[in-house]
Amino acid sequence: MKYLDAFRDREVAIRLLERIGWLATEASSPMTFMEVCGTHTMAIHQHGIRGLLPTGIRLISGPGCPVCVTPVGYVDHAVALARREDVIIATFGDMVRVPGSSSSLHNEKARGADVRIVYSPLDAVALARKIPEKKVVFLGVGFETTTPTVAGAVLAAQSAGLDNFLILSAHKTIPGPMAVLASDPELQVSGYICPAHVSAIIGPAAYQPLVDELNVPCVITGFEPLDMLQGIEMLARQVIENRPRVENQYSRIVRADGNPRARAIMAQVFEPCDATWRGIGEIPASGLRLRDAFRAFDAARQITVDIEPPVEHPGCLCGEILKGKTTPRSCPLFGTICTPEDPVGACMVSSEGTCAAEYKYGV
Ligand code: SF4
């Protein structure tokens, strides 16, 4: 904890809170800041940040949990693939329990489907090499932090001459929904607590259009309590000064140019496409699909399955929660019918989900 303690210092936190309190009194109207990243959502709950803020500053959670924003139709597609005898589904653990229209990968596994949890896309490549008689489909779910590693796995499979490693891509990029939500008059987002990990890849410049076109303050913020308080203080200051800009509170990790190498490998393998976000709907050019040169690795193009039109659980409010328009406790299923042990919606499944965070840390 030696290094973490410096970012959890009580005296510094008190001074930051005093400054935030003063800024809140200077503002002409209440401020609403959206944290876009699921890890921030968890950290804000864990450290009780909301409860420390003055009444004039409200935090709302956004669409930054990749599992949560992946639409039901994608889960249905994965379920249909899992039902094929010649397919092994390889995925990170959270996706297994996300409910689809009528089943989940967890249910399919219980019925005999070959669904395996992996810890890296390269584990799935190794699986494909080990079991050449099966098609190994890796579920490509994640933002700019995850996608470069998946791109690397595709290149590794290509180098190894594997023809049984495939990706079902639901990769997404984060600035698109930020622009959509910043334009939503119902939300009135005063500023964004920009994601830390994603920013380490895309760099601060990726948020400049939000400032130039929508006048939204943006602060890339770390995950420790003092990081988050300082990020909020920087946002509030931008609002008071009426001078929106992109600032980087997390400069100890996020470089001015992000990670060009990771972006290059991502661009080599993937290209932008329109994508559907749970709750938000389709956002142009906010998804990533495999380029034609890599179509041999694209499960969506290589394996035909029948998929019924997707059906959301009628009582689940995940869509509204992912837009910051409501909170987990407003959902009548929260904590009763929907729990982490028996989730109804993706926001309760994921370790970064807003409902899971509220369930774990809410009081
Ligand atoms: Fe959906 Fe469960 Fe959250 Fe309600 S509590 S919004 S059902 S995930």
Side-chain angles (χ1 to χ4, degrees):
M1 296 295 280
K2 179 182 165 196
Y3 298 106
L4 280 184
D5 284 348
F7 299 100
R8 298 181 174 187
D9 185 280
R10 181 183 157 83
E11 296 306 317
V12 179
I14 289 170
R15 285 202 295 279
L16 278 167
L17 283 165
E18 283 170 358
R19 287 218 294 272
I20 291 169
W22 178 79
L23 289 165
T25 61
E26 290 291 298
S28 55
S29 57
M31 295 178 260
T32 299
F33 299 136
M34 175 177 275
E35 90 268 2
V36 181
C37 166
T39 311
H40 275 138
T41 300
M42 270 291 167
I44 285 166
H45 277 81
Q46 181 184 1
H47 299 295
I49 301 289
R50 268 194 187 84
L52 298 173
L53 297 177
T55 48
I57 295 182
R58 187 170 72 106
L59 297 186
I60 56 174
S61 303
C65 156
V67 169
C68 306
V69 296
T70 299
V72 171
Y74 178 89
V75 180
D76 293 345
H77 196 157
V79 163
L81 288 168
R83 287 175 176 164
R84 286 177 59 118
E85 296 221 327
D86 60 344
V87 166
I88 297 173
I89 297 289
T91 177
F92 297 139
D94 278 357
M95 280 305 293
V96 172
R97 295 175 64 241
V98 177
S101 296
S102 60
S103 185
S104 66
L105 291 169
H106 179 73
N107 290 345
E108 296 306 314
K109 188 173 168 65
R111 289 179 191 137
D114 198 342
V115 178
R116 305 194 191 192
I117 292 172
V118 293
Y119 297 97
S120 152
L122 288 175
D123 292 346
V125 175
L127 198 58
R129 191 182 281 122
K130 194 171 154 197
I131 313 176
E133 65 277 18
K134 294 280 184 107
K135 296 176 171 67
V136 175
V137 177
F138 178 76
L139 302 187
V141 171
F143 300 132
E144 294 93 328
T145 9
T146 313
T147 314
T149 63
V150 178
V154 171
L155 293 175
Q158 187 184 49
S159 298
L162 295 178
D163 61 2
N164 66 327
F165 173 77
L166 301 107
I167 304 286
L168 186 65
S169 178
H171 287 294
K172 292 180 169 59
T173 51
I174 208 73
M178 292 172 74
V180 169
L181 297 178
S183 312
D184 188 329
E186 197 186 318
L187 278 176
Q188 306 233 346
V189 175
S190 317
Y192 277 122
I193 299 173
C194 295
H197 296 143
V198 164
S199 301
I201 306 294
I202 64 178
Y207 306 109
Q208 196 59 44
L210 291 167
V211 172
D212 294 343
E213 294 161 23
L214 297 163
N215 290 321
V216 188
C218 292
V219 176
I220 297 165
T221 305
F223 298 114
E224 289 302 316
L226 295 188
D227 287 327
M228 290 184 285
L229 291 178
Q230 190 179 26
I232 291 163
E233 192 263 350
M234 290 162 81
L235 280 172
R237 192 170 292 282
Q238 288 195 34
V239 173
I240 300 296
E241 293 171 353
N242 194 20
R243 200 162 65 87
R245 55 200 182 272
V246 181
E247 290 185 293
N248 184 8
Q249 184 278 333
Y250 202 38
S251 56
R252 67 184 183 277
I253 297 291
V254 177
R255 296 194 313 237
D257 60 348
N259 185 332
R261 201 162 161 220
R263 289 201 302 276
I265 192 172
M266 198 157 56
Q268 181 185 350
V269 175
F270 290 96
E271 63 183 0
C273 64
D274 299 345
T276 303
W277 295 65
R278 189 191 296 261
I280 302 174
E282 188 167 295
I283 304 177
S286 67
L288 292 168
R289 67 179 170 215
L290 286 160
R291 291 186 179 279
D292 277 347
F294 297 95
R295 63 181 302 137
F297 300 95
D298 190 345
R301 283 189 270 187
Q302 298 301 327
I303 309 175
T304 305
V305 283
D306 291 329
I307 312 163
E308 296 290 314
V311 182
E312 303 264 1
H313 189 290
C316 176
L317 300 184
C318 274
E320 294 303 292
I321 286 171
L322 289 165
K323 288 185 286 192
K325 293 195 174 179
T326 191
T327 56
R329 287 184 187 273
S330 305
C331 175
L333 309 185
F334 178 85
T336 53
I337 291 169
C338 182
T339 63
E341 293 73 37
D342 194 10
V344 172
C347 298
M348 189 60 95
V349 176
S350 172
S351 56
E352 297 187 337
T354 306
C355 297
E358 179 66 25
Y359 190 89
K360 188 170 181 186
Y361 296 113
V363 287

